[in-house]
């Protein structure tokens, strides 16, 4: 269960949140926090329980004259174990392309970070019934050059129209796309669809978590707004943990 804090939280509030949630560590659920880059290193010092953390984005470059970027190597040196890649806010606000993400996945793997590649269609694409095509293209452009894939990779399906809008995809919509993603992955490489974890993201909250995470095709969640609130995130983690136990 990944909490994407985006450009929110100061270290003091974040420390309260993670240390309060560390008190009752879930039995089956891996919790991952994604803080703003400047205080990534703080999380290494705090009591996270069994939780882990990572970066919201990394550079595709190893090091050098790339002002404002964060290297995978530094994230790893600061104790990070994951990185989000291609979040829709990175794609729409900062022009990140699926092709660039291929290089970022390579950079993540090179420095022992587990990439969580985010994909998903906009409202317009869904209304035009182009969502399957868009998702397939995103997967092909980011992953085709990496085949055969032997390192770990996590995908997050986040319909852009559901992010921060309070509008969640219905369980049927989410499951349909997760199954489609698995079929595309299997077309690319035999078995890849089964070995890849696929998270759902987009207005996950304490009220809809159980319905979403009880689906066997949905392996976990990428949570934005609700991961900033201790009680909400605690409930979401507990619900996911119960689903994994059931
Ligand atoms: P949200 O954000 O839960 O606030 O919709 C999810 C995300 O952007 O990862």
């Amino acid at each position: 269960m990944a909490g994407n804090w985006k450009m929110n939280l100061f270290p003091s509030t974040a420390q309260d949140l993670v240390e309060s949630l560390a008190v009752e560590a879930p039995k089956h659920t891996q919790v991952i926090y994604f803080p703003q880059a400047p205080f990534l290193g703080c999380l290494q010092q705090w009591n996270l329980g069994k939780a882990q953390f990572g970066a919201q984005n990394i550079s595709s470059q190893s090091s050098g004259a790339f002002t404002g970027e964060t290297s995978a190597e530094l994230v790893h040196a600061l104790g990070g174990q994951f990185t989000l890649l291609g979040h829709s806010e990175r794609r729409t606000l900062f022009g990140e392309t699926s092709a660039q993400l291929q290089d970022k996945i390579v950079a993540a793997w090179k420095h022992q970070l587990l990439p969580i590649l985010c994909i998903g269609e906009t409202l317009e694409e869904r209304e035009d019934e182009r969502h399957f095509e868009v998702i397939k293209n995103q997967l092909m452009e980011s992953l085709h050059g990496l085949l055969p894939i032997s390192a770990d990779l996590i995908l997050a399906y986040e319909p852009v129209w559901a992010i921060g809008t309070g509008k969640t995809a219905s369980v049927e919509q989410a499951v349909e796309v997760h199954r489609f993603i698995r079929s595309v992955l299997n077309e690319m490489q035999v078995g890849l669809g089964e070995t890849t974890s696929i998270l759902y993201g987009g207005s996950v909250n304490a009220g809809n978590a159980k319905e979403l995470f009880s689906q066997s095709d949905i392996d976990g969640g990428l949570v934005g707004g609700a991961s900033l609130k201790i009680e909400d995130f605690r409930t979401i983690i507990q619900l996911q943990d119960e689903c994994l136990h059931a």
Side-chain angles (χ1 to χ4, degrees), residues 4 6 87-89 158 162-166 201-204 222-226:
N4 175 14
K6 310 192 180 186
H87 188 279
S88 75
E89 285 147 22
E158 296 207 302
I163 296 178
T165 57
S203 296
V204 171
L222 178 51
V223 186

Side-chain angles (χ1 to χ4, degrees), residues 109-122:
W109 282 339
K110 188 171 168 204
H111 295 286
Q112 294 89 50
L113 299 181
L114 207 168
I116 302 181
L117 175 67
C118 306
I119 54 176
E121 80 285 358
T122 62

Side-chain angles (χ1 to χ4, degrees), residues 162-227:
I163 296 178
T165 57
K167 248 195 238 171
T168 327
S170 68
V171 170
E172 293 72 27
Q173 286 172 322
V175 167
E176 185 183 36
V177 174
H178 279 229
R179 288 192 180 150
F180 175 72
I181 293 169
R182 290 194 204 282
S183 73
V184 175
L185 292 175
N186 281 332
E187 264 174 46
M188 293 170 87
Q189 182 178 318
V190 177
L192 191 60
E194 275 69 52
T195 53
T196 306
S197 290
I198 309 178
L199 313 181
Y200 169 80
S203 296
V204 171
N205 58 44
N208 57 28
K210 187 168 182 183
E211 206 187 1
L212 286 162
F213 301 130
S214 55
Q215 308 300 318
S216 58
D217 273 296
I218 303 180
D219 299 311
L222 178 51
V223 186
S227 74

Side-chain angles (χ1 to χ4, degrees), residues 28 35 39 52 62 88-89 98 109 111 141 144 146 148 155 169-170 174 176 188 194 199 206 208 226 229 238 244 246:
H28 313 281
F39 70 97
Q52 294 177 306
S62 290
S88 75
E89 285 147 22
S98 292
W109 282 339
H111 295 286
E141 283 170 28
H144 200 260
L146 304 174
L155 290 177
S170 68
E176 185 183 36
M188 293 170 87
E194 275 69 52
L199 313 181
N208 57 28
K229 301 178 202 137
Q238 279 168 354
L244 287 177

Side-chain angles (χ1 to χ4, degrees), residues 9-106:
L9 297 187
F10 271 45
S12 57
T13 335
Q15 185 172 8
D16 280 353
L17 190 149
V18 301
E19 295 197 342
S20 143
L21 294 182
V23 174
E24 328 137 57
K27 290 204 175 63
H28 313 281
T29 304
Q30 173 67 64
V31 177
I32 313 160
Y33 298 107
F34 290 96
Q36 296 184 67
F39 70 97
L40 263 170
C42 295
L43 276 83
Q44 198 173 20
Q45 318 295 328
W46 301 342
N47 172 22
L48 300 192
K50 290 190 198 146
Q52 294 177 306
F53 63 95
Q56 296 176 11
N57 177 38
I58 54 164
S59 172
S60 58
Q61 305 293 327
S62 290
S63 63
F66 302 101
T67 303
E69 293 286 275
T70 304
S71 71
E73 189 175 7
L74 178 65
V75 174
H76 179 68
L78 294 175
Q81 290 175 287
F82 294 82
T83 182
L84 294 179
L85 290 178
H87 188 279
S88 75
E89 285 147 22
R90 303 278 335 151
R91 293 177 191 259
T92 52
L93 302 173
F94 304 100
E96 214 162 72
T97 65
S98 292
Q100 289 167 341
L101 293 169
Q102 179 176 306
D103 296 334
K104 294 195 178 198
I105 294 171
V106 172

